[in-house]
C-alpha cells in the first residue's frame, strides 16, 4: 500500500474542511469558504472543482454583491441530493425505516410489523425494503445503510439480542450480499445520543460537548457523548445500565427488570389479568386515573429520577436527555421527574432535558447521521443536520 505524503494528508484534511463548511453553510461561495476556514482561494477552488466533478456541488448562479460593492459571487451549495441513506430500527415488535438525503431531510419512513422473532425474518423484510427503493431523483441512489439495534454492538456485529433469535446468523454478511454500500450497526441509545448531538436545535446556544441520552423502553440504555464523540467502552458495552443490579424485597434484580417501560407494563398487565398490554393501553390507564397504575407510575418516576441522578454523579455531562414512549405523553410526569431529580441535590449544573422525538425517530435520525458522516468521510467533524 502506497504511503501518503504530508501533502496528500494536508489535501485530504483541507477537503474535509471544505466539505464540512459546505454541509453547514447552505448557500455560500468559494471566497466565503476560503475566509471561513482560512485557506487560499485557489486551494478552495481546486477542491470545489474536484467535488463538482464528483457530483457533490450544485451551482446556484450569481449572488448579490456586498454593501462594499465588488464582484458578485458565484453561489454554490453541497448537493444533498447526490444520494440517499437508509436507516433501520429493529424493535421488539416492529421494523422501522427511514430514507433520508445526506443532510438529514426525510424522503420517506415507515413502520412494519415484525413477523416472527428470528433475525432471518428481519433480514427478509429489510431485503424487501431495499429492493423496493427507487433512486428518488438522486445522482447515485442508495449510499449507505445504518441499523439500530436494541442490543450491544461490537466490531459492527450484534453481540446478543434480548428480543430476537440470532441463531449465529450474520445480518451484516447477508445485507452485504444484497447491496454494495457501507453498512453500520449501532446500539439504539448510542444513536439517540448521536441524533441529539447532530440534530438538536442549537440555534440559541453552543452545541453540547458532553451529554448522555437515557432511553427507557423495553430495556434501559444510555448513550454517551464525550468531547463530541460517541463513547463505546470495552467491546461496545458502555451504557448497558439496565443490567445494573439492585437489592429489593430480599432479592437481586436487574434495573430493567423493575423499571424499564416493559417491566412496568407487564406489572400492570398482570394486575389487570391480561396477557399483554400495549403502550397505548398503558397510556389510557394513566389517563383514566386507575389507582393501581398511578401508584406504579409514582414509583417509576422516583426510580427514573434516581437513575438519572446516579448517571450525573458518574459522568457529569452538560445534559441528560430522557426518552420514553409513554412518559412523553405526559408533560406533568416529566416535570415530576425533573423536580425529584433536583430534590436529590446533584453536584454541578447538569440539566435534565426531554427529547424532541420519540425513541424510534431519534435512533433512526442517529443512524442517518452516522452513515451520512461515513459516506462523506466526515466522521469527526462538527456537522449540523436538518430535520
Amino acid at each position: 500500500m502506497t504511503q501518503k505524503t504530508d501533502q496528500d494528508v494536508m489535501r485530504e484534511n483541507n477537503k474535509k474542511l471544505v466539505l464540512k463548511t459546505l454541509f453547514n453553510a447552505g448557500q455560500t461561495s468559494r471566497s466565503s469558504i476560503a475566509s471561513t476556514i482560512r485557506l487560499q482561494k485557489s486551494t478552495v477552488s481546486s477542491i470545489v472543482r474536484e467535488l463538482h466533478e464528483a457530483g457533490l456541488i450544485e451551482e446556484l448562479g450569481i449572488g448579490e454583491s456586498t454593501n462594499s460593492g465588488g464582484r458578485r459571487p458565484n453561489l454554490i451549495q453541497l448537493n444533498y441530493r447526490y444520494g440517499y441513506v437508509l436507516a433501520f430500527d429493529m424493535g421488539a415488535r416492529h421494523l422501522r425505516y427511514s430514507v433520508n438525503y445526506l443532510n438529514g431531510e426525510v424522503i420517506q419512513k415507515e413502520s412494519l410489523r415484525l413477523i416472527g422473532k428470528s433475525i432471518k425474518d428481519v433480514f427478509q423484510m429489510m431485503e424487501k425494503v431495499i429492493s423496493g427503493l427507487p433512486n428518488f431523483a438522486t445522482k447515485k441512489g442508495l449510499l449507505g445503510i445504518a441499523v439500530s439495534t436494541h442490543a450491544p454492538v461490537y466490531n459492527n456485529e450484534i453481540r446478543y439480542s434480548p428480543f430476537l433469535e440470532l441463531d449465529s446468523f450474520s445480518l451484516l454478511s447477508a445485507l452485504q450480499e444484497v447491496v454494495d454500500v457501507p453498512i453500520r450497526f449501532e446500539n439504539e441509545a448510542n444513536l439517540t445520543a448521536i441524533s441529539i448531538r447532530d440534530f438538536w436545535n442549537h440555534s440559541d446556544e453552543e452545541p453540547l460537548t458532553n451529554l448522555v441520552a437515557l432511553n427507557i423502553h423495553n430495556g434501559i440504555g444510555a448513550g454517551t457523548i464525550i468531547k463530541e464523540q460517541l463513547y463505546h467502552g470495552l467491546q461496545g458495552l458502555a451504557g448497558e445500565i439496565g443490567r445494573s443490579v439492585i437489592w429489593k424485597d430480599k432479592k437481586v434484580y436487574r434495573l430493567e427488570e423493575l423499571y424499564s417501560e416493559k417491566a412496568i407494563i407487564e406489572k400492570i398487565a398482570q394486575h389487570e389479568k391480561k396477557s399483554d398490554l400495549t403502550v397505548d393501553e398503558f397510556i389510557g390507564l394513566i389517563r383514566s386515573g386507575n389507582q393501581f397504575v398511578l401508584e406504579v407510575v409514582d414509583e417509576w418516576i422516583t426510580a427514573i429520577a434516581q437513575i438519572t441522578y446516579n448517571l450525573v454523579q458518574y459522568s457529569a455531562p452538560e445534559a441528560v436527555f430522557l426518552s420514553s414512549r409513554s412518559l412523553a405523553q405526559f408533560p406533568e410526569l416529566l416535570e415530576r421527574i425533573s423536580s425529584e431529580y433536583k430534590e436529590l441535590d446533584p453536584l454541578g449544573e447538569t440539566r435534565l432535558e426531554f427529547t424532541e422525538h420519540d425513541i424510534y425517530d431519534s435512533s433512526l435520525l442517529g443512524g442517518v447521521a452516522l452513515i451520512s458522516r461515513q459516506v462523506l468521510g466526515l466522521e469527526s467533524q462538527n456537522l449540523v443536520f436538518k430535520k
Side-chain angles (χ1 to χ4, degrees):
M1 185 172 67
T2 305
Q3 189 172 358
K4 290 185 178 179
T5 66
D6 290 345
Q7 190 171 359
D8 291 332
V9 172
M10 183 179 296
R11 172 76 175 186
E12 192 172 297
N13 290 337
N14 288 341
K15 184 178 177 181
K16 289 181 179 181
L17 285 174
V18 171
L19 255 178
K20 167 196 166 183
T21 307
L22 278 163
F23 190 98
N24 292 333
Q27 293 187 7
T28 187
S29 66
R30 294 162 177 81
S31 59
S32 178
I33 294 171
S35 176
T36 299
I37 59 179
R38 298 180 181 179
L39 284 179
Q40 295 286 340
K41 289 182 182 178
S42 58
T43 301
V44 171
S45 293
S46 173
I47 292 171
V48 167
R49 189 181 309 115
E50 180 183 336
L51 294 173
H52 191 285
E53 289 172 357
L56 279 164
I57 298 288
E58 278 188 288
E59 296 281 352
L60 303 176
I62 305 297
E64 298 295 326
S65 60
T66 63
N67 293 333
S68 59
R71 186 176 177 182
R72 295 165 67 191
N74 289 310
L75 296 179
I76 58 173
Q77 72 176 18
L78 189 68
N79 180 14
Y80 301 111
R81 287 164 175 74
Y82 172 76
Y84 64 85
V85 295
L86 170 63
F88 286 108
D89 179 275
M90 299 191 304
R93 299 181 178 181
H94 292 83
L95 175 68
R96 295 168 175 84
Y97 74 89
S98 182
V99 182
N100 300 61
Y101 293 120
L102 284 172
N103 65 341
E105 290 182 53
V106 177
I107 302 172
Q108 75 175 47
K109 63 179 182 177
E110 190 174 356
S111 177
L112 306 171
R113 182 78 177 181
L114 274 181
I115 302 171
K117 290 289 185 179
S118 168
I119 195 70
K120 295 178 183 178
D121 298 324
V122 176
F123 165 67
Q124 290 174 356
M125 294 175 71
M126 287 181 169
E127 184 179 28
K128 187 175 180 180
V129 169
I130 294 167
S131 64
L133 293 176
N135 270 6
F136 296 108
T138 61
K139 182 180 178 67
K140 294 290 187 177
L142 179 62
L143 297 173
I145 298 172
V147 181
S148 169
T149 74
H150 295 244
V153 173
Y154 182 59
N155 284 341
N156 214 26
E157 290 279 2
I158 305 168
R159 291 201 58 181
Y160 65 84
S161 173
F163 311 118
L164 294 171
E165 299 166 3
L166 298 182
D167 301 325
S168 301
F169 178 79
S170 173
L171 181 56
L172 174 62
S173 298
L175 287 172
Q176 287 172 333
E177 292 291 323
V178 174
V179 62
D180 184 22
V181 296
I183 300 170
R184 288 287 299 276
F185 287 75
E186 187 55 86
N187 171 266
E188 51 83 26
N190 288 344
L191 290 177
T192 297
I194 289 174
S195 75
I196 293 166
R197 181 195 65 188
D198 288 356
F199 282 89
W200 196 260
N201 181 12
H202 299 293
S203 59
D204 59 348
E205 61 182 68
E206 288 295 315
L208 298 171
T209 302
N210 305 289
L211 66 91
V212 173
L214 177 59
N215 282 9
I216 298 176
H217 46 96
N218 291 321
I220 304 176
T224 304
I225 299 290
I226 300 175
K227 294 183 178 179
E228 299 183 357
Q229 301 302 311
L230 182 65
Y231 177 70
H232 285 96
L234 182 67
Q235 297 181 339
L237 290 172
E240 290 294 297
I241 62 168
R243 294 180 57 79
S244 303
V245 294
I246 185 172
W247 177 258
K248 182 179 170 65
D249 300 330
K250 298 182 179 181
K251 185 178 177 181
V252 175
Y253 292 91
R254 302 283 185 187
L255 268 182
E256 59 193 14
E257 290 180 307
L258 296 174
Y259 299 122
S260 66
E261 187 177 82
K262 179 175 181 284
I264 295 297
I265 290 176
E266 286 178 350
K267 183 175 183 177
I268 293 169
Q270 184 178 10
H271 181 267
E272 296 290 310
K273 295 181 172 54
K274 291 187 175 182
S275 60
D276 195 14
L277 201 66
T278 68
V279 172
D280 288 339
E281 288 171 332
F282 172 45
I283 291 169
L285 287 170
I286 298 176
R287 294 194 193 283
S288 71
N290 181 294
Q291 189 59 38
F292 177 80
V293 173
L294 294 183
E295 289 174 2
V296 171
V297 169
D298 284 346
E299 181 183 349
W300 194 28
I301 286 170
T302 298
I304 293 172
Q306 292 174 354
I307 291 168
T308 304
Y309 173 86
N310 290 338
L311 269 177
V312 169
Q313 305 321 296
Y314 172 70
S315 56
E318 294 161 65
V320 174
F321 291 80
L322 177 63
S323 294
S324 166
R325 296 172 297 179
S326 53
L327 290 177
Q329 306 294 318
F330 300 94
E332 67 275 17
L333 297 183
L334 297 176
E335 183 56 39
R336 283 177 55 192
I337 293 171
S338 183
S339 296
E340 292 202 26
Y341 161 75
K342 291 174 183 175
E343 286 173 5
L344 293 169
D345 194 24
L347 298 171
E349 298 180 357
T350 298
R351 68 180 194 265
L352 180 58
E353 301 271 4
F354 303 99
T355 55
E356 295 174 340
H357 305 98
D358 68 26
I359 287 171
Y360 306 115
D361 278 351
S362 293
S363 60
L364 286 171
L365 288 173
V368 167
L370 180 75
I371 196 64
S372 292
R373 284 173 170 277
Q374 180 172 338
V375 167
L376 293 170
L378 300 176
E379 288 93 336
S380 60
Q381 299 294 325
N382 183 9
L383 303 180
V384 179
F385 287 75
K386 299 187 187 308
K387 299 184 183 72

Coordinates of all heavy atoms in Angstrom, one line a residue, residues 10-47:
M10 N -2.5 16.7 4.0 CA -2.9 18.0 4.1 C -4.1 18.3 3.1 O -5.1 18.9 3.4 CB -1.8 19.0 3.8 CG -2.2 20.5 3.9 SD -0.8 21.6 3.6 CE 0.4 21.1 4.9
R11 N -4.0 17.8 1.9 CA -5.0 17.9 0.9 C -6.3 17.3 1.4 O -7.4 17.8 1.2 CB -4.6 17.3 -0.5 CG -5.6 17.2 -1.6 CD -5.9 18.5 -2.2 NE -6.8 18.4 -3.3 CZ -7.1 19.4 -4.2 NH1 -6.5 20.6 -4.0 NH2 -7.9 19.2 -5.2
E12 N -6.2 16.1 1.9 CA -7.3 15.4 2.4 C -8.0 16.1 3.6 O -9.2 16.2 3.6 CB -6.9 14.0 2.9 CG -8.0 13.0 3.2 CD -7.5 11.6 3.4 OE1 -6.9 11.0 2.5 OE2 -7.7 11.1 4.6
N13 N -7.2 16.6 4.5 CA -7.8 17.4 5.6 C -8.4 18.7 5.1 O -9.5 19.1 5.6 CB -6.7 17.8 6.6 CG -6.2 16.6 7.4 OD1 -6.9 15.6 7.5 ND2 -4.9 16.6 7.9
N14 N -7.8 19.4 4.1 CA -8.4 20.6 3.6 C -9.8 20.2 2.9 O -10.7 21.0 3.0 CB -7.5 21.2 2.6 CG -6.3 21.9 3.2 OD1 -6.3 22.2 4.5 ND2 -5.2 22.1 2.5
K15 N -9.8 19.1 2.2 CA -11.0 18.7 1.5 C -12.2 18.5 2.6 O -13.3 18.9 2.3 CB -10.8 17.4 0.7 CG -12.0 16.9 -0.1 CD -11.6 15.7 -0.9 CE -12.8 15.2 -1.7 NZ -12.4 13.9 -2.4
K16 N -11.8 17.9 3.7 CA -12.8 17.6 4.7 C -13.3 19.0 5.3 O -14.5 19.1 5.6 CB -12.2 16.8 5.9 CG -12.0 15.3 5.5 CD -11.4 14.5 6.6 CE -11.3 13.1 6.2 NZ -10.7 12.3 7.3
L17 N -12.4 19.9 5.5 CA -12.8 21.3 6.0 C -13.8 22.0 5.0 O -14.7 22.6 5.4 CB -11.6 22.1 6.2 CG -10.7 21.8 7.4 CD1 -9.5 22.7 7.4 CD2 -11.5 22.1 8.7
V18 N -13.5 21.8 3.7 CA -14.3 22.4 2.7 C -15.7 21.8 2.7 O -16.7 22.4 2.7 CB -13.7 22.4 1.3 CG1 -14.7 22.8 0.2 CG2 -12.5 23.2 1.2
L19 N -15.7 20.4 2.7 CA -17.0 19.7 2.8 C -17.8 20.0 4.0 O -19.0 20.2 3.9 CB -16.7 18.2 2.8 CG -16.9 17.4 1.5 CD1 -16.5 16.0 1.6 CD2 -18.3 17.5 1.0
K20 N -17.1 20.1 5.2 CA -17.8 20.4 6.4 C -18.5 21.8 6.3 O -19.6 22.0 6.7 CB -16.8 20.4 7.6 CG -17.4 21.0 8.8 CD -16.2 21.3 9.8 CE -16.7 22.3 10.9 NZ -15.6 22.6 11.8
T21 N -17.7 22.8 5.8 CA -18.2 24.1 5.6 C -19.4 24.2 4.7 O -20.4 24.9 4.9 CB -17.1 25.1 5.2 OG1 -16.0 24.9 6.0 CG2 -17.5 26.5 5.2
L22 N -19.3 23.5 3.6 CA -20.4 23.4 2.6 C -21.6 22.8 3.3 O -22.8 23.2 3.1 CB -20.0 22.6 1.4 CG -19.2 23.3 0.3 CD1 -18.5 22.2 -0.6 CD2 -20.1 24.2 -0.5
F23 N -21.4 21.7 4.0 CA -22.5 21.0 4.7 C -23.3 21.9 5.6 O -24.5 21.9 5.6 CB -22.0 19.8 5.4 CG -23.0 18.8 5.9 CD1 -23.3 17.7 5.2 CD2 -23.7 19.1 7.1 CE1 -24.3 16.8 5.7 CE2 -24.7 18.2 7.5 CZ -25.0 17.1 6.8
N24 N -22.6 22.7 6.4 CA -23.2 23.5 7.4 C -23.7 24.9 6.9 O -24.6 25.5 7.5 CB -22.3 23.7 8.6 CG -22.0 22.5 9.4 OD1 -22.8 21.6 9.4 ND2 -20.9 22.4 10.0
A25 N -23.2 25.3 5.7 CA -23.4 26.7 5.3 C -24.7 26.9 4.5 O -25.3 28.0 4.5 CB -22.2 27.2 4.5
G26 N -25.1 25.9 3.8 CA -26.2 26.1 2.9 C -25.6 26.8 1.7 O -24.6 26.5 1.2
Q27 N -26.3 27.9 1.2 CA -25.8 28.7 0.1 C -24.5 29.4 0.5 O -24.5 30.1 1.6 CB -26.8 29.7 -0.4 CG -28.0 29.0 -1.1 CD -28.9 30.0 -1.7 OE1 -28.6 31.2 -1.8 NE2 -30.1 29.6 -2.2
T28 N -23.5 29.3 -0.3 CA -22.3 30.0 0.1 C -21.5 30.3 -1.2 O -22.0 30.0 -2.3 CB -21.4 29.2 1.1 OG1 -20.3 30.0 1.5 CG2 -21.0 27.9 0.5
S29 N -20.2 30.7 -1.1 CA -19.4 31.0 -2.2 C -18.0 30.5 -1.9 O -17.6 30.2 -0.8 CB -19.3 32.5 -2.6 OG -18.7 33.2 -1.5
R30 N -17.2 30.3 -3.0 CA -15.8 29.9 -2.8 C -15.0 30.8 -1.9 O -14.3 30.4 -1.0 CB -15.1 29.7 -4.1 CG -15.7 28.6 -5.0 CD -15.3 28.8 -6.5 NE -15.8 27.7 -7.3 CZ -17.1 27.7 -7.8 NH1 -18.0 28.6 -7.5 NH2 -17.4 26.7 -8.6
S31 N -15.2 32.1 -2.1 CA -14.5 33.1 -1.3 C -14.9 33.1 0.1 O -14.1 33.2 1.0 CB -14.7 34.5 -1.9 OG -16.0 34.9 -1.9
S32 N -16.2 32.9 0.4 CA -16.7 32.8 1.7 C -16.1 31.6 2.5 O -15.8 31.6 3.6 CB -18.2 32.7 1.7 OG -18.7 32.6 3.1
I33 N -16.1 30.4 1.7 CA -15.5 29.2 2.3 C -14.0 29.5 2.7 O -13.6 29.1 3.8 CB -15.6 28.0 1.4 CG1 -17.1 27.7 1.1 CG2 -14.8 26.8 1.9 CD1 -17.3 26.7 0.0
A34 N -13.3 30.1 1.8 CA -11.9 30.3 2.0 C -11.7 31.2 3.2 O -10.8 31.0 4.0 CB -11.2 31.0 0.7
S35 N -12.5 32.2 3.4 CA -12.5 33.1 4.5 C -12.8 32.4 5.8 O -12.1 32.6 6.8 CB -13.4 34.3 4.3 OG -13.4 35.1 5.4
T36 N -13.8 31.5 5.8 CA -14.2 30.8 7.0 C -13.2 29.9 7.5 O -12.9 29.8 8.7 CB -15.5 30.0 6.7 OG1 -16.6 30.9 6.3 CG2 -16.0 29.3 7.9
I37 N -12.5 29.1 6.6 CA -11.6 28.1 7.1 C -10.1 28.6 6.9 O -9.2 27.8 7.1 CB -11.8 26.8 6.4 CG1 -11.7 26.9 4.9 CG2 -13.2 26.2 6.8 CD1 -11.9 25.6 4.1
R38 N -10.0 29.8 6.4 CA -8.6 30.5 6.3 C -7.7 29.7 5.4 O -6.6 29.3 5.8 CB -8.0 30.7 7.7 CG -8.9 31.6 8.6 CD -8.2 31.8 9.9 NE -9.1 32.7 10.7 CZ -8.8 33.0 12.0 NH1 -7.7 32.5 12.6 NH2 -9.6 33.8 12.7
L39 N -8.2 29.3 4.2 CA -7.4 28.7 3.2 C -7.3 29.6 2.0 O -8.1 30.5 1.8 CB -8.0 27.4 2.7 CG -7.9 26.2 3.7 CD1 -8.6 25.0 3.1 CD2 -6.4 25.8 4.0
Q40 N -6.3 29.4 1.2 CA -6.1 30.2 -0.1 C -7.3 29.9 -1.0 O -7.8 28.8 -1.1 CB -4.8 29.8 -0.8 CG -3.5 30.1 0.0 CD -3.2 31.6 -0.1 OE1 -3.7 32.3 -0.9 NE2 -2.4 32.0 0.8
K41 N -7.8 31.0 -1.6 CA -8.9 30.8 -2.6 C -8.6 29.8 -3.6 O -9.5 29.1 -4.1 CB -9.3 32.2 -3.2 CG -9.9 33.2 -2.2 CD -10.3 34.5 -2.9 CE -10.9 35.5 -1.9 NZ -11.2 36.8 -2.5
S42 N -7.4 29.8 -4.1 CA -7.0 28.8 -5.2 C -7.1 27.4 -4.7 O -7.6 26.5 -5.4 CB -5.6 29.1 -5.6 OG -4.7 29.0 -4.5
T43 N -6.8 27.2 -3.4 CA -6.9 25.8 -2.8 C -8.3 25.4 -2.7 O -8.7 24.3 -3.1 CB -6.2 25.8 -1.4 OG1 -4.9 26.1 -1.5 CG2 -6.4 24.4 -0.8
V44 N -9.2 26.3 -2.2 CA -10.6 26.0 -2.1 C -11.2 25.8 -3.5 O -12.0 24.9 -3.7 CB -11.3 27.2 -1.4 CG1 -12.9 27.0 -1.5 CG2 -10.9 27.3 0.1
S45 N -10.9 26.7 -4.5 CA -11.4 26.5 -5.8 C -11.1 25.1 -6.4 O -11.9 24.5 -7.1 CB -10.9 27.6 -6.7 OG -11.4 28.9 -6.3
S46 N -9.8 24.7 -6.2 CA -9.4 23.4 -6.7 C -10.2 22.3 -6.1 O -10.6 21.3 -6.8 CB -7.9 23.2 -6.4 OG -7.5 21.9 -6.8
I47 N -10.4 22.3 -4.8 CA -11.2 21.3 -4.1 C -12.6 21.3 -4.5 O -13.2 20.3 -4.7 CB -11.1 21.5 -2.5 CG1 -9.6 21.2 -2.1 CG2 -12.1 20.5 -1.8 CD1 -9.4 21.5 -0.6

